[in-house]
Amino acid sequence: MNFLDELKNLKEQVKSENKLNIDFDFDNIVISGMGGSGIIGSIFQEFYSEKPVIPISDYGIPSFVNDKTLFIAVSFSGNTEETLNNVSEAKEKNAHIIAITSGGKLAEEVEDHIIIPAGMQPRSALGNMLMPLLNTFIKPGEESINSTYEALDSMDRDHSEMKAEAFKIYGNSYIPVIYGSRPFKSVAYRWKTQFNENAKTFAFYSYFPELNHNDTMPLKSAYRRDEYIFYVFESDNNRINRRIAVTQEITGEQFNIVHTPVTDPVAKLFYLIHYADYITYELALIRNVDPTDVSTIEELKKKLS
Ligand code: F6R
């Protein structure tokens, strides 16, 4: 699959009916994963609040993990060191472990696993890795899935708006800064990582209201402030929208507001994710770098293995 086909595959992934098989009681959920797989835990945490959810993109699990913990290991390759390390620790604590992976050591080590299709970049398999969690705990209905599919499909047919953003970034040598807000704080982080991995550029992120307590200072008077471009996600929360408006008013910065032309929360989530897929893909092409290439990350993993 070439990278554009990987992007276009996202809409098919949201139709996945995979679910976790849960026939036990649990008090908390710990989700371990790195990079393109790790983002699944933080996205899910913003959508589900019935029980504590702790996403981990690091070595080590919390000391509260025990036989009442649902421990979900997400690794596209199934060979990510930090995730495998955490699975061993979770086993020692008798946690209920479920893996979401395309194979690798993780599939061998965790009996209860969901196998997702290989043959694409981990970051392009976001739908395949996230849907089992949403299907199990959020249960989006047919209408929600259809509206998500349609939103993604229309972007796949025409992404000229995102291409124009890529040209704007390149033409002005901008450094992207992305500001999210709940339940899309982790989507702002996903944008950052897509800029990093697809376009091979630095990007930064934060979220409202927290950034009103720090980033607001350089917004007003940053050194080399003209070198940054600010993307801010439209919100459904009036207080957040008020903050966005007042922040612009007092700092003089004109944010690029990313509108979400859909109402369903799952459709919004995937729309925002896909928006950055296309900006970063186009930016890679303009810069003449391969959006698929993550060879430096792979080299590093090899050296450490
Ligand atoms: C994303 C990517 C990386 C990996 C990360 C973890 O496309 O290449 O961010 O997701 O290195 O590897 P996996 O996902 O195989 O556990």
Side-chain angles (χ1 to χ4, degrees):
M1 235 191 267
N2 67 34
F3 202 70
L4 189 58
D5 287 337
E6 291 187 16
L7 297 190
K8 291 186 175 176
N9 186 255
L10 184 64
K11 61 179 179 296
E12 307 303 333
Q13 298 178 26
V14 300
K15 287 183 175 167
S16 157
E17 291 183 355
N18 277 336
K19 265 189 193 165
L20 309 187
N21 188 10
I22 296 173
D23 53 2
F24 46 83
D25 282 338
F26 60 91
D27 293 340
N28 48 64
I29 306 176
V30 173
I31 307 175
S32 180
M34 303 303 296
S37 299
I39 190 82
I40 303 305
S42 29
I43 293 175
F44 177 68
Q45 185 202 34
E46 290 189 80
F47 268 72
Y48 179 81
S49 59
E50 277 171 39
K51 291 191 178 172
V53 177
I54 309 289
I56 307 173
S57 292
D58 201 342
Y59 291 107
I61 64 174
S63 58
F64 68 73
V65 170
N66 60 20
D67 60 356
K68 289 277 188 194
T69 298
L70 167 59
F71 187 93
I72 303 168
V74 189
S75 169
F76 182 82
S77 62
N79 293 321
T80 297
E81 181 193 337
E82 299 92 320
T83 312
L84 291 169
N85 168 85
N86 293 352
V87 165
S88 308
E89 290 188 19
K91 273 187 186 171
E92 276 168 31
K93 302 284 197 100
N94 293 320
H96 295 271
I97 309 175
I98 301 181
I100 301 174
T101 181
S102 70
K105 287 190 196 130
L106 190 59
E108 286 165 24
E109 283 179 21
V110 179
E111 203 181 320
D112 191 354
H113 56 235
I114 290 177
I115 297 291
I116 56 163
M120 63 181 84
Q121 284 299 313
R123 58 192 178 284
S124 302
L126 183 141
N128 284 335
M129 295 190 280
L130 181 62
M131 289 317 292
L133 293 179
L134 297 188
N135 291 339
T136 310
F137 296 105
I138 311 292
K139 303 181 176 68
E142 205 181 312
E143 226 173 279
S144 168
I145 296 302
N146 287 344
S147 110
T148 307
Y149 186 95
E150 276 161 30
L152 296 179
D153 189 39
S154 82
M155 296 165 100
D156 289 343
R157 279 186 275 113
D158 175 11
H159 67 270
S160 47
E161 186 183 327
M162 302 72 151
K163 190 171 177 174
E165 291 304 322
F167 272 102
K168 200 200 291 179
I169 293 169
Y170 183 76
N172 294 285
S173 303
Y174 280 140
I175 298 164
V177 180
I178 307 102
Y179 291 151
S181 56
R182 216 171 55 176
F184 305 123
K185 295 191 289 189
S186 41
V187 176
Y189 180 64
R190 162 79 178 188
W191 276 50
K192 174 222 175 280
T193 61
Q194 291 292 75
F195 274 108
N196 298 155
E197 291 181 78
N198 297 346
K200 285 76 174 159
T201 60
F202 281 111
F204 300 90
Y205 86 106
S206 187
Y207 61 90
F208 282 97
E210 172 62 17
L211 72 92
N212 277 155
H213 305 271
N214 33 68
D215 268 35
T216 302
M217 288 311 297
L219 271 173
K220 172 90 189 198
S221 54
Y223 169 60
R224 298 162 76 166
R225 183 184 132 179
D226 292 347
E227 293 181 10
Y228 300 87
I229 183 166
F230 297 88
Y231 290 99
V232 178
F233 302 160
E234 181 179 60
S235 169
D236 287 338
N237 179 314
N238 288 339
R239 285 307 293 168
I240 296 294
N241 284 330
R242 178 91 186 110
R243 279 178 182 275
I244 294 171
V246 173
T247 306
Q248 291 188 101
E249 192 185 305
I250 66 171
T251 63
E253 184 60 58
Q254 269 304 108
F255 294 145
N256 290 267
I257 305 288
V258 185
H259 298 286
T260 38
V262 278
T263 48
D264 180 83
V266 176
K268 276 189 183 183
L269 168 73
F270 279 97
Y271 178 90
L272 284 172
I273 287 169
H274 217 36
Y275 200 97
D277 288 347
Y278 276 117
I279 301 183
T280 56
Y281 166 73
E282 288 294 344
L283 186 56
L285 299 190
I286 300 165
R287 292 197 57 226
N288 211 9
V289 293
D290 175 4
T292 319
D293 175 44
V294 282
S295 53
T296 317
I297 296 176
E298 278 156 12
E299 186 188 334
L300 183 132
K301 285 185 181 180
K302 222 186 223 166
K303 277 218 157 157
L304 286 170
S305 69

